[in-house]
Amino acid sequence: MTGESAAIDALCALVGPTDRQAGRLGALRLRTLARPHGALGRLDDLVPRIAMIRSDPDPGPLPALVSVLAADHGLARRAVSALPQPAGGRVLALVQSGRAPLNLIADRVPARVVSADFGLVEPVGEAEFRMGAGTEDICLRDAMTRADAERAVLSGARFLRSRLGEETMVAVGEIGVGNTTAAAALTGRLLELPVAAVVGAGSGVDPAAVARKHALVERALIRTAGLPGTDTLAQLAALGGYEIAGNVGVILAAAAARRVVVLDGFITAVAALIAVRLCPPVGHYLVAAHRSAEPGHRPLLQALGLDPLLDLGLRLGVASGAALALGLVNTTLELAHRTPRARDVGLALPAEDG
């Protein structure tokens, strides 16, 4: 076992079970409020889930952090995206200037935005967490070495720890030209699904580009057919990206710190599945912000056992869907925290609606 492998195991060992007693008390408290039980539908399910994570039956609104990691993919040179490869760096620079759509959404939540270059072809900002100038072309060779994949996971954990303050909810996002293609290949390999079930239009490419993505993902899956299905880190190294590996570390570190983890879209969902396969208790710390337009996102959410809060056909990326969901989560927690008890306002409500 390498030092990096041992460090990942040690990180996983820090992820403890959630507090079931707090969850039960949170669910019971909801039944006492001055509104019909279950009136908010699936939103009411958030309260006991978050109560378990935070060990607090009535957590109230949570201060939030939005984390965005950026990296480029060798496959992007094959025109699998509507954006040229240097666009990833420009998007990260826009985020860091505070002018991206994500920043505008986060300002409304409110949430603090942090970001880092994990492997853009053209460096942006500080290089503390940068793994290299993009990954290799996964049709021809592994995206990165296993050692680099392990280092990227640990770098993601280090990034989150260095940026996390008092925030108790972390939204996870990414930037990466070509990363829906890499994520499709990873999803196909991890879930043993056919290419047609995992490849979509990504950034909004035309049908010819979608067909090209199909062919390239097929090649990548054929090339990696001999990988052992139980070696998750080998699969990540073969088909992933530096931002995907980094987000595995972000998710592991956030769960280890008992933070609520709000996943953005397709790319962060595949990072979450890898994190859960490395450390199954992580699954109890996850909230799915939305279901994106990518076909591979649905089976990933099913594998994670997550029901997304929103289904709007989003493909904006850059943690924008997760940031939108933060407001919904905190509104739900605020309602649970501030709605009076039924007995205090003279209401006698049935236990169930209708």
Side-chain angles (χ1 to χ4, degrees), residues 84-112:
Q85 194 167 65
R90 291 196 285 271
V91 173
L92 178 60
L94 193 64
V95 170
Q96 293 185 344
S97 74
R99 296 180 295 147
L102 165 64
N103 303 101
L104 302 178
I105 297 168
D107 286 346
R108 299 289 295 176
V109 172
R112 185 165 63 93

Side-chain angles (χ1 to χ4, degrees), residues 13 16 69 72 89 127 155 238 267 315 321 331:
L69 307 185
D72 280 317
S155 190
I267 318 301
R315 58 173 74 254
T331 298

